[in-house]
Amino acid sequence: NSPFFENLSAITKYLLSLNHKDIAYLSGPLEWEGSTTRLRGIQRALAEAGLTLDPQFHGWCSPNIEDGFRVASTILNLPSGKRPTAILAFNDLIAIGAIHAIRTFGLSVPNDISVVGFDNIYLSSHTNPPLTTVAFPAYQMGQLAVQRIYSSLHGDNEQGGLMLLECPLVVRESTGPCKT
């Protein structure tokens, strides 16, 4: 299991705890391992709750705002009773595009659809509403990488192995209880 797998499983469980059962996933590119790993985490959490990811609620896209908007719009074009109540996005940029699409369809975040991103980029706390996201420890990962490289260059090759870092969910105003 990878940390991404566990995180998306935990995020999905968080949305399930808010009574969301119709959850969409806006995935990163198909060829990226992180995209498929995160997809498996979501599918596992839904399966544990006796649910599945509706194929209509899943879309692959580039990790940017424009593609987030495009893929979310495709999902939001479904009839009103057939839309998801929550959207998980591969990253915060896709989530921001999804929020824009939701508003374009005359819907509200989180009253109609909750949105969760991944990465906790600077912009996430400044969106309207502020984006619920996973805080990815990029700085800490960089520090650890430099430490490992330094150690390796100085003959200390004993630091091998997998290191798991905490990636907490930062709950902000883009998520709320399912209203339906």
Side-chain angles (χ1 to χ4, degrees):
N1 288 348
S2 84
F4 295 127
F5 187 87
E6 297 303 322
N7 280 51
L8 269 288
S9 181
I11 296 166
T12 306
K13 289 176 183 178
Y14 166 71
L15 289 172
L16 291 168
S17 78
L18 295 173
N19 291 323
H20 292 283
K21 303 215 181 329
D22 297 315
I23 299 171
Y25 176 49
L26 307 185
S27 178
L30 174 63
E31 61 275 9
W32 288 9
E33 182 182 348
S35 298
T36 54
T37 301
R38 293 177 192 188
L39 175 60
R40 285 193 309 269
I42 292 165
Q43 290 171 324
R44 183 179 83 178
L46 289 172
E48 287 173 3
L51 303 169
T52 59
L53 178 64
D54 185 327
Q56 295 183 96
F57 291 175
H58 177 241
W60 301 98
C61 59
S62 296
N64 59 54
I65 293 171
E66 294 79 14
D67 254 23
F69 177 87
R70 180 186 56 79
V71 174
S73 294
T74 300
I75 293 169
L76 294 170
N77 267 321
L78 294 168
S80 64
K82 304 280 185 187
R83 293 181 185 142
T85 60
I87 293 176
L88 280 169
F90 176 79
N91 69 10
D92 290 346
L93 294 176
I94 294 172
I96 291 167
I99 289 172
H100 180 63
I102 291 165
R103 288 214 173 100
T104 300
F105 278 77
L107 301 169
S108 170
V109 175
N111 293 333
D112 296 310
I113 301 176
S114 288
V115 179
V116 179
F118 197 97
D119 289 334
N120 196 29
I121 62 172
Y122 174 76
L123 190 58
S124 300
S125 62
H126 300 284
T127 59
N128 185 13
L131 181 63
T132 296
T133 184
V134 172
F136 191 72
Y139 182 80
Q140 187 180 7
M141 286 177 63
Q143 282 184 313
L144 291 169
V146 169
Q147 287 172 356
R148 286 195 173 192
I149 291 169
Y150 180 83
S151 295
S152 178
L153 290 172
H154 289 86
D156 180 9
N157 294 323
E158 307 256 338
Q159 290 191 11
L162 180 68
M163 181 176 286
L164 296 178
L165 300 176
E166 186 175 345
C167 299
L169 179 64
V170 180
V171 177
R172 296 191 180 111
E173 297 168 35
S174 69
T175 53
C178 181
K179 305 281 194 239
T180 57

